[in-house]
């Protein structure tokens, strides 16, 4: 019951973000060669941010064991978080409709190419909020992304990790414990390196 309520809340928040984006797009309509940038974080050092609803949960805390899950990858294989025990893990929650996620993904691929032997990226797609799995598959293929992408069709893992705003990233140590505060909003390449080095 709790998971159903959480999934329902997640879908309502996603619908609100989509409606907000539609009306915002109509209002601003920048010139084709003009890039519109918004920083709603209040922190001028932020490169971008996600939209977080009021009274959103704070997410899982440092020191908590990362909840295990088993999901299908975009390639049809099965991936369990517990299979990665003994390795550093960057667990990223994202969706194709999320502009900050699209901003972040190429940096994640560059990071994966450089440090894939030292830390595993697992990108959890909020598939229950997508229009189709084909859209997700096409996005991954066209972007040339090679890190594992798993499909959260029921949004149960998004719910367990309280990933209400996207992107959200957790940093998990070799012991399976969340070792750094979660990051809400897109990560820079240097931030990924910093978090990897902070993990044990």
């Amino acid at each position: 019951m709790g998971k159903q309520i959480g999934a329902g809340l997640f879908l309502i928040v996603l619908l609100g973000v989509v409606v907000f984006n539609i009306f915002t797009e109509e209002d601003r309509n920048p010139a084709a060669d003009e890039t519109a940038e918004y920083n709603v974080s209040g922190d001028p050092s932020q490169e971008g941010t996600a939209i977080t609803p009021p009274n959103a949960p704070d997410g899982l805390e440092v020191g908590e064991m990362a909840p295990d899950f088993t999901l299908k990858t975009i390639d049809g294989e099965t991936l369990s978080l517990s299979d990665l025990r003994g390795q550093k893990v960057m667990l990223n929650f994202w969706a194709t409709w999320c502009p900050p996620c699209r901003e972040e993904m190429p940096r994640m691929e560059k990071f994966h190419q450089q440090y894939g032997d030292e830390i595993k990226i697992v990108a959890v797609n909020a598939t229950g909020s997508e229009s189709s799995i084909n859209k997700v598959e096409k996005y991954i293929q066209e972007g040339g992304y090679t890190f594992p992408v798993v499909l959260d069709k029921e949004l149960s893992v998004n719910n367990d990790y309280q990933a209400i705003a996207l992107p959200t990233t957790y940093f998990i140590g070799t012991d399976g414990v969340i070792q750094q505060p979660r990051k809400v909003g897109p990560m820079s390449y240097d931030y990924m390196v910093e978090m990897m080095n902070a993990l044990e």
Side-chain angles (χ1 to χ4, degrees), residues 5-18:
I5 293 171
L9 174 63
F10 184 78
L11 288 175
I12 290 169
V13 170
L14 294 181
L15 179 61
V17 170
V18 170

Side-chain angles (χ1 to χ4, degrees), residues 73-76 94 96 125 132-143 149 151:
T73 69
I74 199 114
D75 299 320
W94 70 285
T96 62
N125 176 257
S132 73
I133 292 177
N134 289 341
K135 183 174 182 179
V136 180
E137 292 171 344
K138 183 178 178 184
Y139 180 82
I140 294 300
Q141 184 178 23
E142 289 180 351
V149 174
L151 304 172

